[in-house]
Amino acid sequence: MDDTGRVSSNGTPWWRGAVIYQIYPRSFADSNGDGIGDLRGIIGRLDHVVDLGVDALWLSPIYPSPLHDFGYDITDYTDVAPEFGSVADLDALVDACHARGLRLLLDLVPCHTSIDHPWFVEARSGPRSAKRDWYIWADPRPGGRPPTNWMSAFGGPAWTLDPASGQYYLHSFYPEQPDLNWRNPAVAEAMHAAMRFWLDRGVDGFRVDAIAHAIKDDRLRDNPVAGAGRSVFGVDPSGHERLWNVERPEVHDVIRGMRRVAAEYPDRVLIGEVYTPTELLAGFLGHDRDDEFPLAFNFELLHTPWRADALRLAIERSEALTPTTTNPTYALSNHDQVRHATRFGTDAVRLAALVLLTLRGTITLYAGEEIGQTDAPALTGPAHDRAGRDAQRTPMQWDATPRGGFTTGQPWLPLTDPQRRNVAEQGADPTSVLSLYRRLIALRRSIPALHHGEQRSRLDLPGELLGFIRSADGERLLTVGNLGATFASFTLGGPAAVVAATDPRREGTSVDGAVALAPNEGLLLRLPD
Ligand code: BGC
């Protein structure tokens, strides 16, 4: 154990095998009744995450923002938005986490600022401004057209005209999020300084946002029409391959620079949000040199249908392609995607938890999934997020009251269904989804084979069954689940103890010979020697 008492230190970094809990701060817990979650609210709910048993929290952005992209458009990298509290509150949260053996990660958004950031305000003041080259400007093409055919990730051209100077500025996301120019060393220095500001305060690392967009072609070449069979991750809605504006080779130097900053401090981690196919992810993990991201999200499970063959393939690909210096990093839900309880259906959430929390790798949970939270089916009132992601960002449901224990005021987004799903009731019910999450995380922590053991698929199973074996020190555990719509069975060569099960009544029993599983039923079995 290390000095936090929660992390084994057999020479492997704390984040390998860890479970990280993502909090969307606006929606977690409101301490002052303004209807918006805040840092003091998180401090007040830390017992929940401790009971859940996770290793670390990751907070989506807490910085001042005019909210064009809900915090991913930042006006000050070294401050806390007033609705979330203050830097002193963040310090208190760091201390409260560390006192409980939890790590705390922040979101770093290095590729673009807010249009209202003083750097951009200065840059836009004119071509001779000292900060002009902190962003990416270019003259129109003939006829006033944008400088290239690049598209914003949110649709529409990636260029917006600045009428005052007659030049366009580049934005990989909304026009209110101008892209920083990472070819300018001053930008790197400023961002590194922001990292150090938080690392000095004890923050344990960052999830690094949208990093593939950090560097673009310096010759501003047009993207080519995409060829057949290319990955959907790399193609614009206009049908052009994102060749010159995403994942340029120089991005790896940007990441190495960030890694060097993190390495100035002990035990800090960076998790890359790269959004690239698994085949390309190793390049962002530094291959075997281990000099880029220590971890990078594998998002395939966010886009894989609830089918055994599809999931097996995604998991095997990740196993095969992740460098040995690290481990895969999985999530089933986050603040950008339809929650998996909605994608897969609520009947599937127990089995999804069993699979996710027994996989080899670092696991990221999205707050609310531990109670089986779904997307809000019909949100009334004004939309907040222009990209339509309100439904997965509704407030955490702490109890069955109409405001779910989230706030005493008017919640910034309506709650989805606190009467149906909430922490208070599920926490007291040993058969609940929440109790299953707690048991699975505790098992993952205490059984080396689950925490960091090897993994291989069990391939002799009927098509609708997904199975994989984790092993370490002679101990072997089999995760097996039925993703089909009818009963399915498999055969065991000897008696196996049921360590965890989607149906809690099966836990503590043992199985042997032909084992039948109902639809969406799963077992974690300790296999005989
Ligand atoms: C974040 C999104 C955000 C985008 C632009 C992402 O990957 O997760 O919420 O809209 O980056 O910053």
Side-chain angles (χ1 to χ4, degrees):
M1 293 288 171
D2 72 355
D3 57 2
T4 68
R6 293 177 72 94
V7 186
S8 67
S9 62
N10 50 354
T12 41
W14 66 265
W15 53 85
R16 289 186 70 164
V19 181
I20 299 173
Y21 186 77
Q22 181 193 356
I23 288 179
Y24 193 69
R26 291 183 84 75
S27 295
F28 195 64
D30 172 20
S31 71
N32 62 0
D34 66 357
I36 297 172
D38 48 47
L39 298 180
R40 290 277 161 195
I42 298 172
I43 293 173
R45 292 292 187 179
L46 279 186
D47 285 349
H48 170 65
V49 267
V50 170
D51 291 347
L52 191 56
V54 301
D55 299 280
L57 306 184
W58 147 38
L59 308 187
S60 282
I62 54 164
Y63 317 104
S65 163
L67 302 181
H68 294 288
D69 189 17
F70 276 79
Y72 286 91
D73 50 324
I74 294 166
T75 54
D76 187 345
Y77 286 88
T78 55
D79 201 358
V80 170
E83 64 266 36
F84 293 145
S86 62
V87 174
D89 292 331
L90 193 279
D91 290 341
L93 177 58
V94 171
D95 289 347
C97 285
H98 289 173
R100 289 167 167 83
L102 288 165
R103 317 263 179 169
L104 182 72
L105 310 181
L106 297 183
D107 215 310
L108 182 73
V109 186
C111 299
H112 46 260
T113 65
S114 160
I115 198 167
D116 296 332
H117 194 294
W119 300 338
F120 189 73
V121 172
E122 189 177 338
R124 198 164 46 173
S125 68
R128 267 190 273 279
S129 136
K131 292 269 182 335
R132 188 73 169 182
D133 191 42
W134 283 43
Y135 294 85
I136 300 169
W137 301 87
D139 293 329
R141 286 198 285 193
R145 287 181 302 132
T148 67
N149 64 356
W150 304 346
M151 287 191 71
S152 141
F154 289 136
W159 297 94
T160 287
L161 185 67
D162 168 47
S165 65
Q167 284 197 307
Y168 281 88
Y169 68 87
L170 185 67
H171 50 87
S172 295
F173 294 89
Y174 291 127
E176 294 87 353
Q177 295 167 291
D179 282 13
L180 283 162
N181 174 18
W182 271 86
R183 292 181 188 279
N184 181 344
V187 167
E189 262 170 49
M191 205 55 69
H192 292 171
M195 290 174 72
R196 289 190 187 97
F197 177 86
W198 298 110
L199 294 170
D200 284 339
R201 311 191 90 84
V203 163
D204 296 286
F206 300 96
R207 173 263 193 191
V208 182
D209 184 70
I211 192 67
H213 297 270
I215 292 257
K216 293 91 190 170
D217 182 39
D218 50 355
R219 290 166 52 195
L220 299 184
R221 277 169 279 194
D222 266 345
N223 281 334
V225 172
R230 298 237 192 217
S231 158
V232 290
F233 288 94
V235 178
D236 272 339
S238 66
H240 291 88
E241 193 192 341
R242 297 190 298 165
L243 181 64
W244 297 114
N245 58 334
V246 188
E247 290 190 47
R248 300 310 306 145
E250 300 94 320
V251 74
H252 298 288
D253 290 331
V254 172
I255 299 168
R256 284 186 200 107
M258 292 177 175
R259 174 71 179 260
R260 281 193 295 274
V261 173
E264 292 165 11
Y265 302 76
D267 281 345
R268 311 300 162 99
V269 72
L270 300 174
I271 311 178
E273 189 216 26
V274 190
Y275 247 113
T276 198
T278 305
E279 287 73 12
L280 300 179
L281 211 47
F284 292 83
L285 292 159
H287 297 286
D288 292 329
R289 292 185 316 278
D290 191 22
D291 61 356
E292 295 192 38
F293 287 128
L295 297 173
F297 288 110
N298 183 312
F299 282 138
E300 265 200 74
L301 300 189
L302 284 169
H303 302 281
T304 302
W306 186 239
R307 285 206 329 262
D309 57 347
L311 286 169
R312 182 181 304 122
L313 207 65
I315 292 165
E316 282 177 2
R317 211 171 15 238
S318 180
E319 277 294 301
L321 296 170
T322 302
T324 53
T325 50
T326 181
N327 61 202
T329 303
Y330 296 111
L332 287 177
S333 288
N334 66 29
H335 64 294
D336 289 329
Q337 306 292 336
V338 174
R339 283 178 177 272
H340 71 270
T342 297
R343 288 201 319 275
F344 300 158
T346 49
D347 289 345
V349 295
R350 288 168 188 266
L351 181 53
L354 183 81
V355 170
L356 182 67
L357 288 165
T358 57
L359 280 172
R360 189 181 83 90
T362 302
I363 305 303
T364 310
L365 307 179
Y366 181 43
E369 74 168 80
E370 72 274 30
I371 55 169
Q373 174 122 10
T374 60
D375 275 16
L379 281 177
T380 50
H384 291 270
D385 178 49
R386 283 142 72 187
R389 295 166 293 186
D390 286 350
Q392 53 263 36
R393 298 174 177 181
T394 57
M396 187 70 184
Q397 304 181 164
W398 296 103
D399 61 37
T401 60
R403 293 169 192 164
F406 164 69
T407 181
T408 53
Q410 194 56 36
W412 77 284
L413 274 176
L415 280 86
T416 302
D417 53 3
Q419 299 81 356
R420 269 181 95 176
R421 295 180 187 85
N422 63 70
V423 172
E425 286 173 4
Q426 291 198 21
D429 172 4
T431 69
S432 67
V433 173
L434 175 55
S435 293
L436 177 63
Y437 268 81
R438 287 177 178 166
R439 286 198 301 282
L440 288 168
I441 295 171
L443 289 167
R444 184 178 182 87
R445 208 180 253 293
S446 62
I447 301 177
L450 288 182
H451 185 267
H452 55 259
E454 317 235 303
Q455 177 174 306
R456 67 184 167 76
S457 293
R458 192 170 149 172
L459 295 171
D460 61 334
L461 300 172
E464 58 277 34
L465 294 187
L466 175 70
F468 51 87
I469 294 171
R470 301 292 312 278
S471 56
D473 311 328
E475 191 177 24
R476 292 186 309 144
L477 288 105
L478 168 66
T479 296
V480 59
N482 179 6
L483 282 73
T486 55
F487 269 84
S489 51
F490 66 102
T491 308
L492 278 176
V498 179
V499 179
T502 51
D503 176 352
R505 289 168 305 185
R506 294 191 84 158
E507 288 180 8
T509 66
S510 72
V511 287
D512 196 359
V515 183
L517 295 177
N520 280 317
E521 181 169 23
L523 301 173
L524 176 65
L525 302 175
R526 193 185 304 276
L527 296 177
D529 297 338

